[in-house]
Amino acid sequence: MKNNTSYSKVIAGTMTWGNWGKKLSVGEGAKLIGHCLDQGITTFDHADIYGDYNNELFFGNAFASSNIGRDKIQLISKCGIQMVCDERKNRVKHYNYSKDYIIWSVEQSLKNLKTDYLDMLLLHRPSPLMRPEEIGEAVLQLKKEGKILDFGVSNFTPSQIGLLETTVEVQSNQLEFSLTANEAMNNGAWDDCIVHKRMAMAWSPLGSYYRDKNKRTKRIKKVLKQLKKKYQVNASQLLLAWTFAHPAGIHPVVGTTNPKRLTDAMNALNIDLGMEDWFLLLEASMGEDVP
C-alpha cells in the first residue's frame, strides 16, 4: 500500500458539494479544493452514487479548472451501490460486485473525475452475494493497469474483510465512527485495522452531536463546555480530537463545505487531549462509567 502518510490526516468528504447539498458552482468547487490544499487537506473522498451519480463529474470539472497538478491530491472513490434513480434504471436498491461492473464503474469514475487513476478504490457496502474471487480478479486487473493504486472497503466487518482477503489484500476500511457512534472500537473493526495495518477512515466523525437534541447530547455538551475553556478550541475540534486519539490512527472524512470549519478540522490535530478528558467524553456519551 501507499504509505498512510500519502493521504492527508483530514480527508475532505465531497458528498454534499454537489446535488446532495450545497450545489456549488464549478468555480466555487475549484476555490474550495484550493482552500483544502492550503490547509494541508490533500485527500478527497468520493463515491459514484453521490449526487445521484453526478458528483464526480462536478468535482472533475472543478478540479480541471483549478489548474492544480494531479500529483498534489489523492482521490478516493467507492462503487457497488445500485440506487433507484433517473441515472440508473434499477427496480430495487442493491449491490453489484461482479468483475465487469467493478471495472466499468472505476472507468466511469476516472472519466468523470478527469483522471487516469484513483489513489484508492473502496467497495461501498458489503453484499451478501459477494464472490471474493471475482472481486479479487477485478482489483488485480485494475491495479495492473494502473487505474487504482490502493484497494479498501467501507462499512465492512473484520469477517467480511477476511472473506475478501482469500483473494486480494484489503488496505483500508472506512466506517462510521464518532463519540456518539463508537461501535467500531468495541466490535473489532479498529482492532482489525491496527493488527493488519489497514488505513482507518471515519465517516460522520462529528456524529449526532449537532443533529440530535437529547439527554446524550446534553451530557456531552456539558463536558465540552468545560473542555472548550481548558483547550481554547471549539466543540467540533474537540470531537475530532477525541477521534484522533484512538490508536488506529483514524483519518476523519469531514463533509463540510465551510472553509473555516475545514481549517478548524486541521487545527484539531494540534490538540493534545488528555486521557481522562477522553474518558470524560466517553462517559458522557455512554451515560455511565466505563465498566
Side-chain angles (χ1 to χ4, degrees):
M1 177 179 182
K2 292 173 66 175
N3 191 296
N4 280 4
T5 56
S6 300
Y7 299 93
S8 55
K9 188 62 180 179
V10 172
I11 296 173
T14 66
M15 185 176 75
T16 64
W17 288 31
N19 290 347
W20 285 2
K22 296 297 183 179
K23 298 182 180 178
L24 300 177
S25 68
V26 167
E28 289 169 334
K31 186 176 179 181
L32 191 57
I33 294 168
H35 177 78
C36 286
L37 265 64
D38 288 343
Q39 309 313 306
I41 301 172
T42 59
T43 305
F44 297 85
D45 180 77
H46 295 269
D48 57 353
I49 65 167
Y50 292 167
D52 289 343
Y53 299 96
N54 287 305
N55 208 59
E56 288 181 324
L57 179 59
F58 152 74
F59 185 94
N61 289 333
F63 181 67
S65 73
S66 73
N67 294 317
I68 295 168
R70 176 64 178 87
D71 61 334
K72 303 298 183 185
I73 68 168
Q74 303 82 46
L75 296 174
I76 298 172
S77 197
K78 313 176 196 74
C79 76
I81 297 178
Q82 296 295 296
M83 292 176 57
V84 178
C85 64
D86 290 341
E87 295 292 326
R88 299 279 173 97
K89 302 304 180 185
N90 297 313
R91 289 184 295 114
V92 62
K93 184 180 179 183
H94 63 285
Y95 312 111
N96 187 346
Y97 291 123
S98 66
K99 178 182 176 180
D100 288 346
Y101 180 77
I102 292 172
I103 292 170
W104 177 85
S105 182
V106 168
E107 289 173 346
Q108 289 296 115
S109 290
L110 296 180
K111 179 181 175 183
N112 289 331
L113 289 167
K114 295 179 169 52
T115 184
D116 295 327
Y117 67 95
L118 294 176
D119 294 87
M120 186 183 294
L121 170 69
L122 305 179
L123 303 189
H124 205 154
R125 287 191 177 274
S127 170
L129 299 181
M130 290 186 299
R131 297 182 184 274
E133 64 279 3
E134 271 201 75
I135 292 169
E137 286 175 10
V139 170
L140 292 174
Q141 180 177 323
L142 288 165
K143 283 192 170 188
K144 185 177 179 180
E145 294 173 353
K147 293 176 179 176
I148 65 172
L149 302 184
D150 294 331
F151 169 69
V153 295
S154 183
N155 305 300
F156 275 55
T157 66
S159 65
Q160 289 163 338
I161 292 174
L163 175 67
L164 292 184
E165 287 207 312
T166 59
T167 63
V168 66
E169 181 187 2
V170 176
Q171 298 162 302
S172 62
N173 196 3
Q174 185 180 122
L175 298 164
E176 180 179 15
F177 184 71
S178 64
L179 180 60
T180 58
N182 52 50
E183 294 81 5
M185 69 183 190
N186 299 317
N187 63 15
W190 288 154
D191 299 341
D192 172 77
C193 285
I194 294 171
V195 170
H196 297 284
K197 296 180 171 57
R198 306 190 211 283
M199 180 178 168
M201 293 174 276
W203 59 267
S204 193
L206 301 184
S208 63
Y209 177 73
Y210 292 103
R211 186 173 64 247
D212 296 344
K213 291 186 178 180
N214 52 33
K215 291 180 179 179
R216 184 187 217 181
T217 53
K218 284 180 182 177
R219 291 192 304 266
I220 295 170
K221 187 174 184 178
K222 186 176 179 181
V223 175
L224 286 176
K225 188 176 181 180
Q226 305 166 16
L227 298 183
K228 283 192 293 184
K229 290 180 182 178
K230 178 177 179 179
Y231 292 95
Q232 292 296 297
V233 294
N234 62 41
S236 295
Q237 290 175 305
L238 284 166
L239 292 170
L240 289 174
W242 188 87
T243 293
F244 286 136
H246 194 278
I250 298 161
H251 297 242
V253 179
V254 178
T256 184
T257 59
N258 183 302
K260 183 182 183 302
R261 290 176 186 166
L262 288 162
T263 302
D264 286 348
M266 280 300 287
N267 289 336
L269 283 163
N270 300 321
I271 301 170
D272 184 14
L273 188 64
M275 183 180 292
E276 290 194 55
D277 291 335
W278 191 92
F279 277 98
L280 277 172
L281 284 166
L282 179 60
E283 179 184 78
S285 179
M286 294 171 59
E288 58 187 15
D289 293 348
V290 295

